[in-house]
Amino acid sequence: MMERSHILEAMGELKLYGMRNAYDEIIAAAIKRQHEPTRVVGSLLDAEINEKKARSIKYQMTIAKLPLAKDIDEFEFDAAAINETLVRNLAAGGFLEEQRNVVLIGGTGTGKTQVSIASRVCIRAGARGRFFNIVNLVNKLEAEGRAGRQGRIADHLARLDFVVLDELGYLPFAQTGGQLLFHLISRLYERTSVIVTTNLAFGEWPSVFGDAKMTTALLDRLTHHCDIVETGNESWRFKNRA
């Protein structure tokens, strides 16, 4: 008969960390309640599955690079212009199944938190996503082109459930960057949900992209299947400054 220490050591070597962590509790309950062997095995397997799900969610949270650690139940909806029902509907993730996009239009301090909250809930439900400051993403796309590796970022993002493009319009980028972003959004069209936060009305977007016709084509793709949310212009941080 294998001793407990050897069993735990074997589980560790096999990377069955969920089983190893739950082993003593499950065995103690099995002895006390005289569980059948099949029930014990099932409980150990459930513990391992739950551990792997938790590790996967933690990994997806890390690589998504979401900016805030706030959860939906911690958010002060009464202090924001956006309504609670809308944020909770986004967090439910139905828009991901339909490859719908979301554009949040408002001033500084009015939209990013809601996007982060909804994104975290979606990831916990099994979705995969990435968060980018839009200027940083454009810089990555330009660096990718200079290295002769065009399309690799788009290929990766097209396999995700959603991509957040934050702060469109806050800082300018070159027209070549606008073209790269246009090609990326075209690649993601009806494949990956795109979530954009911006302080610009749609009529002002050509000032960012530098080409009115290209901007019209981009908006046509972005808003074809899209929820447009106005978050107001009053900054939550400004209202609640110390």
Side-chain angles (χ1 to χ4, degrees):
M1 182 176 177
M2 188 178 251
E3 294 183 2
R4 171 185 173 277
S5 59
H6 292 158
I7 292 173
L8 294 179
E9 183 179 350
M11 287 178 174
E13 290 179 0
L14 293 170
K15 299 183 178 180
L16 300 173
Y17 302 120
M19 286 188 180
R20 187 179 65 178
N21 293 337
Y23 178 80
D24 287 337
E25 181 181 348
I26 290 172
I27 295 301
I31 293 172
K32 181 178 180 179
R33 298 180 176 85
Q34 297 183 330
H35 290 165
E36 294 291 329
T38 52
R39 181 168 178 177
V40 175
V41 173
S43 296
L44 288 169
L45 290 172
D46 286 341
E48 185 61 31
I49 290 169
N50 290 334
E51 168 73 11
K52 282 183 165 46
K53 285 182 178 178
R55 288 168 67 88
S56 175
I57 289 171
K58 183 178 180 181
Y59 173 74
Q60 291 298 332
M61 286 286 194
T62 300
I63 65 172
K65 299 185 183 298
L66 299 174
L68 299 169
K70 186 176 289 186
D71 287 322
I72 195 164
D73 293 327
E74 300 174 292
F75 186 69
E76 298 178 23
F77 287 99
D78 292 340
I82 197 169
N83 67 70
E84 181 175 357
T85 301
L86 175 60
V87 175
R88 292 189 181 276
N89 285 342
L90 291 175
F95 73 103
L96 299 179
E97 298 174 6
E98 301 173 0
Q99 289 83 46
R100 292 181 62 82
N101 303 319
V102 180
V103 178
L104 291 98
I105 304 173
T108 300
T110 64
K112 186 190 301 181
T113 299
Q114 293 91 330
V115 171
S116 177
I117 288 171
S119 299
R120 287 179 185 278
V121 177
C122 289
I123 288 174
R124 289 195 181 103
R128 297 177 302 154
R130 281 293 308 273
F131 186 102
F132 292 98
N133 175 284
I134 201 163
V135 174
N136 291 341
L137 176 58
V138 168
N139 290 338
K140 289 178 182 292
L141 292 170
E142 290 176 336
E144 178 187 61
R146 289 192 299 269
R149 305 172 69 179
Q150 297 94 328
R152 295 197 179 190
I153 293 175
D155 288 342
H156 169 67
L157 297 182
R159 294 193 292 269
L160 302 182
D161 297 295
F162 68 89
V163 175
V164 180
L165 306 181
D166 189 41
E167 297 187 341
L168 173 70
Y170 286 81
L171 292 172
F173 45 77
Q175 185 173 351
T176 55
Q179 293 169 349
L180 290 170
L181 198 58
F182 167 75
H183 289 301
L184 173 64
I185 291 176
S186 296
R187 177 79 169 80
L188 301 181
Y189 176 59
E190 295 189 327
R191 292 186 176 89
T192 300
S193 293
V194 178
I195 305 171
V196 178
T197 71
T198 180
N199 62 345
L200 300 178
F202 289 131
E204 299 175 285
W205 284 34
S207 65
V208 175
F209 292 93
D211 185 316
K213 290 184 178 180
M214 182 181 69
T215 305
T216 299
L218 181 146
L219 284 171
D220 182 62
R221 289 163 173 77
L222 186 64
T223 61
H224 182 204
H225 311 291
C226 185
D227 295 302
I228 299 169
V229 183
E230 294 188 12
T231 63
N233 290 305
E234 189 172 4
S235 170
W236 184 90
R237 289 189 292 271
F238 185 79
K239 285 194 301 182
N240 293 274
R241 68 192 185 282

